[in-house]
Amino acid sequence: MANVKEHERAELHKAIWGIADALRGSVSGWEFKAYVLGTLFYRFISEKLETSVNLSEQKAGNKGFVYGDLDDRTALPAKRQIVDKLGYFISPSHLFRNVYAAAERNRNLNVTLSDVFEEIEGSARGTESEQDFKGLFNGMNFNSTQNLGATVDERNDRLRDLLKGVAQMKLGDFKSNTIDAFGDAYEYLMKMYASFAGKSGGEFFTPQEASRLLALITTQGKAKVNKVYDPACGSGSLLMQVAKVIGKDKVLGGFFGQEKEPTIHQLCRMNMFLHDIDPRKFDIALGDTLKKPNERHLDEEPFEVVVSNPPYSIHWDGDSDPTLITDPRFAPAGVLAPRTKADFAFILHALAWLAENGCAAIVCFPGIFYRGGAEQKIRQYLVENNFVDALIDLPPNLFFGTSIATTILVLRKNKKNDNNVLFIDAKEQFVKEGNKNRLADENIAAIFKLYADRREVKHLTRLVPSTQIAAEGYNLSVSTYVEPRDTRPKVDIRQINARIAEIVAREDKLRKAVEKTIRELGE
């Protein structure tokens, strides 16, 4: 089964690369991401709707029923029932397979696709799922001369290529594929586009392998959790890895996140759908988490799992906004993160919204763990209140847009009698892949074992009491406490001395020979 899965995944990735590569020839791959990902999403929700309706009708005794073969007028009476069940409606003629089948002869394909997405979003208005679909397709302008072509014919040709590419992706039967095909395709596309985009792409996409490590750490020992949260969620890759590690049905209260960039916010919501997360079990807010966190996320209870890879060392209002020092997220520390380095603002936000029995794992820029000033005072607050569970140094060049080695900060509120902090040096745990480093399965397993075992291993881990950390000025850098392995070649001093004596003797012999020659020449 594993070989079957890997073969399907390899075939799928090959097809995705083909379509993206073809489309990049005329339009920037990064600019085109909304169209490719949006069309993949369109195919997904079309197949989900048709499969759901067909199964319901066939169970009711209507053998051979095929929703996509109906005319739109016949299907209309079932619209309310379909929206109540799935959260949206698509007319039979607007299903992906039917639009694609008619694309070659449709001279108004751009208009048809605009109508399709208006119908989908419109069908959710006034319903429980309105917020889930509102503005979801704003990044897909089918009349864009900049992205699709100067003339209608050019735009339609490009849209036909797009539909064809997505239609030919081997995603299997909606209910029976052996991999999470739609979700896997989406994540592969996001990774590919992040690679194309460099730094700007890395700001919203955390590689699956790093995401999996954070998910394993935060769900350790748990059969189920209440809610999962990412305060800077980007495209949602961290949230989805928690779903994969523990099982989406084991996240009882759902998945929550906030993203301030509108286009990425839309992609994150699509990601939820494409991983078949019930719309009633996710809430991805649009906005600046530090300025205006979405309070409805805390309506019920704090979060048992918090995972995040927030932007490194960005500017924020800090002490220029006098209200922030009284904000319940930041007030307990008694000081605000520097205006030019918001890293600890995200950390304190995550801690404030963490449940008493919860765990937070946050990817951080290493400089925040040894610098002085306000950051040192915040570290002191975290250590003295026993919130710091572990710090894990990761290898360099893992993330898109940066080659630095990052550090995972693990926070807990329920350490009880354990006042030690676990420091792990995992910088050598990687495999080389192209011009990037990657965490292979065995690397992830090795790092997680070091964390879970919570014992000292020479050159790899060290348990340090809070009193010693205080003596070090609340420095939380892993290198302060874990002595690196000496990889320099061993030197035998006796051999070197013997070699030197041999060289000196040879030089002496040569010198005497030269002096003898000079005397003879003089005579």
Side-chain angles (χ1 to χ4, degrees):
M1 180 62 75
N3 288 337
V4 172
K5 287 185 178 182
E6 289 309 311
H7 176 71
E8 289 182 10
R9 186 171 281 112
E11 287 295 310
L12 178 59
H13 291 179
K14 183 179 178 181
I16 292 170
W17 180 264
I19 174 178
D21 198 45
L23 293 170
R24 282 194 303 133
S26 50
V27 180
S28 161
W30 186 236
E31 291 298 325
F32 218 84
K33 69 184 183 301
Y35 293 92
V36 180
L37 295 169
T39 305
L40 178 68
F41 175 70
Y42 168 38
R43 176 179 165 182
F44 170 81
I45 60 174
S46 290
E47 293 185 11
K48 181 175 182 177
L49 185 150
E50 186 166 21
T51 299
S52 176
V53 175
N54 288 349
L55 287 174
S56 294
E57 288 293 323
Q58 289 163 13
K59 284 181 180 178
N62 193 354
K63 304 297 182 183
F65 178 87
V66 179
Y67 176 79
D69 292 346
L70 300 179
D71 63 73
D72 291 352
R73 185 174 297 179
T74 303
L76 194 58
K79 178 178 179 179
R80 177 51 50 197
Q81 184 180 354
I82 292 172
V83 171
D84 288 344
K85 182 178 181 181
L86 299 177
Y88 63 95
F89 176 78
I90 305 175
S91 301
S93 68
H94 281 174
L95 291 172
F96 177 87
R97 69 177 179 90
N98 288 335
V99 171
Y100 171 58
E104 286 298 329
R105 57 183 182 278
N106 185 351
R107 300 186 63 185
N108 297 304
L109 182 59
N110 58 331
V111 176
T112 299
L113 288 171
S114 294
D115 291 344
V116 167
F117 290 113
E118 170 55 34
E119 177 186 48
I120 296 169
E121 184 174 340
S123 69
R125 291 194 190 108
T127 74
E128 198 176 306
S129 59
E130 179 175 359
Q131 290 303 315
D132 298 320
F133 286 90
K134 186 176 181 180
L136 196 58
F137 310 106
N138 286 352
M140 300 178 71
N141 178 0
F142 296 107
N143 291 303
S144 171
T145 56
Q146 179 180 356
N147 287 334
L148 295 177
T151 68
V152 172
D153 286 342
E154 286 178 352
R155 296 196 285 275
N156 284 335
D157 285 343
R158 198 147 294 144
L159 290 170
R160 289 187 191 100
D161 290 341
L162 178 60
L163 289 173
K164 182 179 180 180
V166 172
Q168 290 180 347
M169 289 183 186
K170 295 180 180 179
L171 299 172
D173 179 75
F174 182 79
K175 287 295 181 185
S176 65
N177 52 48
T178 60
I179 58 171
D180 178 11
F182 281 96
D184 190 77
Y186 186 89
E187 288 180 9
Y188 183 75
L189 277 164
M190 295 301 283
K191 176 181 178 181
M192 187 167 59
Y193 285 134
S195 180
F196 291 157
K199 183 176 180 181
S200 61
E203 289 174 355
F204 72 84
F205 181 77
T206 302
Q208 289 182 16
E209 299 82 10
S211 299
R212 178 172 173 77
L213 178 58
L214 268 66
L216 286 168
I217 290 170
T218 51
T219 60
Q220 180 201 10
K222 294 180 181 289
K224 58 185 178 180
V225 298
N226 71 339
K227 300 188 297 181
V228 180
Y229 175 59
D230 185 345
C233 62
S235 59
S237 51
L238 278 162
L239 294 172
M240 289 302 90
Q241 279 300 314
V242 175
K244 289 182 178 182
V245 165
I246 197 171
K248 62 187 177 185
D249 57 320
K250 303 299 183 185
V251 181
L252 307 181
F255 301 84
F256 298 79
Q258 187 158 345
E259 170 56 44
K260 71 176 183 178
E261 213 292 311
T263 302
I264 306 306
H265 172 252
Q266 294 162 17
L267 296 179
C268 183
R269 291 155 66 201
M270 287 185 189
N271 201 3
M272 300 295 115
F273 280 106
L274 284 164
H275 284 87
D276 209 19
I277 304 296
D278 188 323
R280 292 163 293 189
K281 290 193 68 175
F282 72 80
D283 187 343
I284 308 300
L286 176 63
D288 188 323
T289 299
L290 300 181
K291 280 186 178 180
K292 194 173 181 181
N294 195 297
E295 296 292 346
R296 73 170 180 268
H297 288 171
L298 275 181
D299 280 351
E300 296 176 16
E301 56 186 338
F303 298 93
E304 199 168 341
V305 169
V306 178
V307 285
S308 194
N309 180 16
Y312 308 144
S313 300
I314 62 169
H315 289 63
W316 76 306
D317 291 346
D319 57 13
S320 66
D321 181 348
T323 66
L324 286 175
I325 194 59
T326 61
D327 188 306
R329 297 173 296 167
F330 312 124
V335 65
L336 296 170
R339 289 188 209 178
T340 58
K341 301 174 181 67
D343 309 69
F344 269 117
F346 283 106
I347 289 168
L348 290 173
H349 170 86
L351 178 66
W353 286 27
L354 183 65
E356 288 298 320
N357 66 334
C359 179
I362 306 164
V363 180
C364 302
F365 175 73
I368 69 171
F369 296 118
Y370 59 78
R371 292 190 296 237
E375 291 178 317
Q376 183 182 32
K377 292 178 181 177
I378 295 173
R379 294 196 304 270
Q380 179 176 352
Y381 162 73
L382 295 174
V383 172
E384 289 184 347
N385 286 275
N386 204 26
F387 293 136
V388 183
D389 184 47
L391 290 106
I392 306 170
D393 269 0
L394 294 177
N397 205 24
L398 283 181
F399 297 90
F400 294 102
T402 180
S403 61
I404 63 169
T406 53
T407 301
I408 298 174
L409 171 65
V410 184
L411 300 173
R412 292 185 186 273
K413 289 183 175 179
N414 62 340
K415 288 177 64 184
K416 299 179 181 176
N417 297 324
D418 183 359
N419 291 314
N420 295 322
V421 174
L422 177 65
F423 291 87
I424 301 175
D425 183 346
K427 292 194 293 293
E428 294 181 7
Q429 288 288 347
F430 69 91
V431 294
K432 197 77 176 171
E433 191 172 87
N435 61 353
K436 300 293 291 180
N437 293 332
R438 182 175 67 84
L439 297 177
D441 288 346
E442 56 267 28
N443 302 130
I444 296 171
I447 297 170
F448 179 66
K449 187 176 190 305
L450 291 172
Y451 172 78
D453 287 349
R454 203 169 179 81
R455 62 185 180 84
E456 294 195 353
V457 180
K458 192 174 183 180
H459 304 306
L460 294 178
T461 67
R462 191 162 164 219
L463 281 167
V464 182
S466 57
T467 51
Q468 184 177 343
I469 295 172
E472 293 285 354
Y474 298 97
N475 186 321
L476 290 175
S477 295
V478 173
S479 59
T480 301
Y481 306 99
V482 180
E483 181 185 359
R485 194 188 313 276
D486 188 351
T487 57
R488 294 174 300 178
K490 292 183 179 180
V491 175
D492 189 325
I493 298 299
R494 287 172 298 182
Q495 284 186 357
I496 291 177
N497 283 336
R499 181 63 176 154
I500 291 173
E502 183 183 324
I503 292 171
V504 169
R506 187 182 304 145
E507 286 180 344
D508 186 56
K509 184 178 180 181
L510 288 171
R511 181 177 55 79
K512 288 178 179 178
V514 170
E515 288 176 350
K516 181 182 178 183
T517 302
I518 292 172
R519 284 197 307 270
E520 290 174 349
L521 289 173
E523 293 173 357

